[in-house]
Amino acid sequence: MGQALGCVQVDQSTVAVKETFGKFDEILDPGCHFLPWCIGKQIAGYLSLRVQQLDVRCETKTKDNVFVTVVASVQYRALAEKASDAFYRLSNTREQIQSYVFDVIRASVPKLNLDDAFEQKNEIAKAVEDELEKAAMSMYGYEIVQTLIVDIEPDEHVKRAMNEINAGKWFIVWTARLRVAANEKAEAEKILQIKRAEGDAESKYLAGLGIARQRQAIVDGLRDSVLAFSVNVPGTTAKDVMDMVLVTQYFDTMKEIGASSKSSSVFIPHGPGAVRDIATQIRDGLLQANTLQ
């Protein structure tokens, strides 16, 4: 109905190209416009002023002979003040931009090794943007907003080989760390064993000192007892005193065995004769020891 009445509507962020009998007339801004078709006025087309994005996939080869696919994203938009140039001067804007991108990528990436290409993505993107500006895209009514290198994809076999290399490096690092951990653990166990041995030796040394002191105290006590008994009981000999001491020790031992909660049944001969035999055996042992000395 609007076209029949000669009215057209131009949406926001869009301009319309108006022609009169096939010749460019003017650019219509967003809004409603009167267009008397009866006198040759018509809309040749519409042009969006929004930022558009063109993703370009370009396959090329690096300096170390690795084939990669570089994905570049070019963001561009038409200039409102040069809408007529953007509409008439380029027949296919996207193909025109894509050609420049191909040319720059295939000239830049072959100068870089694969690792350098990953590290210098910003430099590649800057080169593409500079080339598009050098191509005077503004002369054709377009502005390059930004250029990004969003991905660099090596060949599948190359990626698999790189992953295997990285896995090998990781395994070497992991093995080295295990070796260090094993050495540290062995050193720790060694220190523990040394400390345990030193503690055991110190314990045995102190136990030996205790036993030696105990025996010395027993000997001193026996000597003092014999001397005191001989003085207080005239006519007794050292043999009589030793027999009495041995009998006393014998009964003390029996008492300790019976008082111990962990002792089991012990069967030993008991009676005066047995005591006399034990005293004789101890005395003989002491005499033999003195003889050997």
Side-chain angles (χ1 to χ4, degrees), residues 58-82:
C58 177
E59 184 177 14
T60 184
K61 184 177 71 170
T62 62
K63 187 177 180 180
D64 47 356
N65 296 322
V66 177
F67 282 92
V68 295
T69 300
V70 180
V71 181
S73 292
V74 180
Q75 298 174 352
Y76 66 98
R77 65 181 175 186
L79 298 173
E81 62 274 13
K82 296 184 178 181

Side-chain angles (χ1 to χ4, degrees), residues 139-201:
M139 184 177 62
Y140 297 105
Y142 285 94
E143 176 190 14
I144 303 301
V145 178
Q146 193 171 13
T147 303
L148 304 172
I149 301 297
V150 296
D151 196 10
I152 298 178
E153 302 175 357
D155 184 79
E156 188 63 31
H157 299 289
V158 176
K159 288 197 291 185
R160 189 181 301 112
M162 292 175 66
N163 290 333
E164 291 176 356
I165 292 173
N166 291 331
K169 291 180 179 178
W170 178 85
F171 179 76
I172 292 173
V173 173
W174 178 68
T175 305
R177 290 180 178 176
L178 283 181
R179 189 183 303 111
V180 172
N183 291 336
E184 294 293 335
K185 182 178 180 181
E187 288 295 329
E189 292 179 353
K190 177 182 176 182
I191 293 173
L192 288 176
Q193 291 179 0
I194 292 174
K195 292 299 181 183
R196 194 180 294 115
E198 290 177 352
D200 186 55

Side-chain angles (χ1 to χ4, degrees), residues 84-243:
S84 59
D85 292 332
F87 186 80
Y88 288 106
R89 299 196 64 174
L90 291 178
S91 60
N92 194 320
T93 307
R94 299 176 70 87
E95 287 188 2
Q96 184 80 8
I97 295 176
Q98 182 174 290
S99 298
Y100 283 111
V101 173
F102 279 167
D103 182 65
V104 175
I105 291 177
R106 287 174 177 168
S108 302
V109 175
K111 299 177 182 179
L112 304 173
N113 293 323
L114 181 60
D115 294 338
D116 296 335
F118 279 101
E119 295 175 359
Q120 299 182 23
K121 290 196 301 182
N122 293 336
E123 285 76 3
I124 298 173
K126 186 64 169 58
V128 173
E129 188 172 342
D130 292 343
E131 184 64 24
L132 290 175
E133 290 179 357
K134 189 188 300 182
M137 292 300 296
S138 60
M139 184 177 62
Y140 297 105
Y142 285 94
E143 176 190 14
I144 303 301
V145 178
Q146 193 171 13
T147 303
L148 304 172
I149 301 297
V150 296
D151 196 10
I152 298 178
E153 302 175 357
D155 184 79
E156 188 63 31
H157 299 289
V158 176
K159 288 197 291 185
R160 189 181 301 112
M162 292 175 66
N163 290 333
E164 291 176 356
I165 292 173
N166 291 331
K169 291 180 179 178
W170 178 85
F171 179 76
I172 292 173
V173 173
W174 178 68
T175 305
R177 290 180 178 176
L178 283 181
R179 189 183 303 111
V180 172
N183 291 336
E184 294 293 335
K185 182 178 180 181
E187 288 295 329
E189 292 179 353
K190 177 182 176 182
I191 293 173
L192 288 176
Q193 291 179 0
I194 292 174
K195 292 299 181 183
R196 194 180 294 115
E198 290 177 352
D200 186 55
E202 185 69 18
S203 176
K204 290 180 179 179
Y205 173 74
L206 294 176
L209 290 178
I211 293 174
R213 291 175 181 176
Q214 180 187 18
R215 291 178 179 175
Q216 183 64 40
I218 292 172
V219 172
D220 294 341
L222 288 175
R223 183 181 66 250
D224 294 341
S225 298
V226 170
L227 293 175
F229 197 87
S230 299
V231 171
N232 295 328
V233 183
T236 57
T237 63
K239 176 180 178 301
D240 297 331
V241 177
M242 285 299 300
D243 289 340

